[in-house]
Amino acid sequence: MEKQYDISVILPVYNNVQYLEECLDSVLAEEKLSIEIVAIDDGSTDGSEQILDDYAGKYENIRVFHQENSGVSVARNLGLKKANGEYICYLDSDDRYCPGVLEKGLALCSEKKLDVLFFTYENFFENEIAAERWQNNRVNQPMRKREYPKEPICGREMLLLFKTQLEYRVNVFLQMARHDFLQKNQFSFEPEIIFEDIPYTFEVLLRAERVMALNEVLVKRRIRDNSLEHRPTTVHRCKSAFRSLILDYKLVRHFGYDFPECEPAVIQELAFRHEFVKNTYLELDEENQEAFLRQCSPEERIFFEAAILPRIQKEQKDRARIDRLKDKHREKAEKYKAKIADQKETIRILKKEKKDLQQEKKRLQGEIKRIRKSRAFRLGRWILRPFSYIKRHMKGKR
């Protein structure tokens, strides 16, 4: 009979030899816990597979399973089947745990009998190249900082809180979930897509009965220059975003569209995913947009053309209208600019003429002043003084 553990950490690994030992050591450092690592080698070819086997040879709480490269979803699904822990955690092989947080989380899960406990994380850049390329990613600050209830609530109420407080994060490495809860509801990850966390976490919150959230940073998340999540948009990326939206809709339909505790949050999430698919599609060039549509099944294509394409067409139409208005206003602005430029030139000329006149006036005033001070002027005034006196006297007699 296999040993039972408090926690199983499911660790998919694909060609991460540079960071793998740091990741494994961060789990092994939790010596106070009964913890196992279920490592899934997803067809690594860079030596990661050998590191896993070496660690498994040294530590009895590490089990390694090798598979052909099939993607992170298939790897996690295999890990779920093989795990023996009472609680399940996920970790990416280029990230690491913060010391002591798993222990605190397990104590809370056991005390409150939780289905799921949510933590938070911090980003950090792998190097300066990653920092330059992905500078918009927030670093050195928790991704969830607000306060949450000190007692368990249902997952739907937590979804509403996450959405209301703008702290909804789908990353599964933030979750510590009770194994029985996952097994009972037959949780799994959708194969062959990225963004596999989106429908998984959405379903977790819709199904869970006892949930809490901690503002403790559990994971230090590495932002790499070539991280899958941060690569440029491809057809596969667009298809994955679209597929995750379809899975969300299927889940909502499964529950009969009945979410009295969190209907605004469900609507907001679906609207956000619509926008995400739309933007991802628009980032593709025309050739790749056609390739994306060819890869859709008839059902998916109908859904896309009914639910997504009209939004795209409306946005394109609105954008064209805005562009026309911009062009129209730009023409008017150019005319006004030209008119203002002419007026400025006229004002400049007038100011120059005014300045020239002022200088001429000043020159003449100086000339007058010089003349008044001259001997000839003073002599002339002295000679003319009697005549001026007679003239004034004659005027007086009249």
Side-chain angles (χ1 to χ4, degrees), residues 73 168 170 172 187-190 193-206 240-241 243-249 251 269 273:
S73 292
Y168 182 54
V170 300
V172 295
F187 277 94
S188 64
F189 294 88
E190 180 74 4
I193 67 169
I194 54 178
F195 309 123
E196 72 288 340
D197 294 9
I198 293 172
Y200 178 93
T201 300
F202 192 44
E203 184 174 3
V204 162
L205 285 164
L206 291 180
S240 296
R243 182 63 185 162
S244 68
L245 172 63
I246 291 175
L247 292 171
D248 281 353
Y249 264 107
L251 182 64
E269 174 62 6
R273 296 304 161 192

Side-chain angles (χ1 to χ4, degrees), residues 121-139:
Y121 70 97
E122 287 182 353
N123 288 329
F124 71 97
F125 291 126
E126 172 190 23
N127 51 38
E128 292 183 1
I129 297 176
E132 177 68 22
R133 185 171 184 181
W134 307 113
Q135 55 186 305
N136 291 332
N137 286 270
R138 291 169 289 177
V139 294

Side-chain angles (χ1 to χ4, degrees), residues 274-371:
H274 269 271
E275 193 72 9
F276 183 48
V277 173
K278 183 203 71 176
N279 291 337
T280 306
Y281 177 80
L282 289 174
E283 288 171 5
L284 299 174
D285 58 31
E286 186 174 344
E287 181 180 350
N288 281 320
Q289 287 178 353
E290 293 175 357
F292 162 77
L293 292 174
R294 285 195 301 270
Q295 290 185 17
C296 291
S297 67
E299 178 187 5
E300 290 172 338
R301 183 148 187 167
I302 288 173
F303 183 86
F304 183 83
E305 292 182 353
I308 307 297
L309 195 56
R311 297 165 67 99
I312 293 173
Q313 292 171 339
K314 182 179 184 303
E315 181 172 302
Q316 290 174 335
K317 184 177 180 181
D318 291 343
R319 189 175 298 168
R321 183 174 60 84
I322 291 171
D323 288 341
R324 288 195 298 270
L325 288 173
K326 284 182 177 179
D327 290 339
K328 184 177 180 180
H329 288 302
R330 190 178 296 113
E331 291 175 4
K332 286 184 177 180
E334 292 299 327
K335 290 180 181 178
Y336 284 126
K337 284 181 181 178
K339 188 174 181 180
I340 290 170
D342 290 342
Q343 290 175 343
K344 284 183 177 180
E345 178 63 16
T346 301
I347 291 171
R348 187 190 67 79
I349 293 171
L350 291 173
K351 284 183 176 180
K352 185 177 185 303
E353 290 178 354
K354 179 181 178 182
K355 185 178 179 181
D356 292 342
L357 289 173
Q358 287 175 337
Q359 290 177 343
E360 180 64 15
K361 177 183 176 182
K362 187 176 180 180
R363 186 188 69 77
L364 292 173
Q365 287 175 337
E367 183 68 17
I368 291 170
K369 188 176 181 180
R370 184 187 63 78
I371 291 173

Side-chain angles (χ1 to χ4, degrees), residues 46-104:
D46 69 341
S48 297
E49 67 282 12
Q50 187 59 53
I51 291 176
L52 290 175
D53 288 338
D54 291 344
Y55 267 74
K58 295 178 184 177
Y59 301 95
E60 64 176 12
N61 62 329
I62 298 181
R63 292 187 295 146
V64 178
F65 301 90
H66 299 278
Q67 67 176 27
E68 293 183 1
N69 182 244
S70 305
V72 66
S73 292
V74 175
R76 284 177 178 158
N77 288 340
L78 178 59
L80 274 172
K81 291 179 181 178
K82 300 296 184 180
N84 294 312
E86 182 182 1
Y87 286 90
I88 300 294
C89 290
Y90 302 97
L91 186 62
D92 294 339
S93 58
D94 53 354
D95 299 335
R96 62 176 185 265
Y97 279 137
C98 294
V101 182
L102 279 179
E103 181 183 358
K104 182 175 181 179

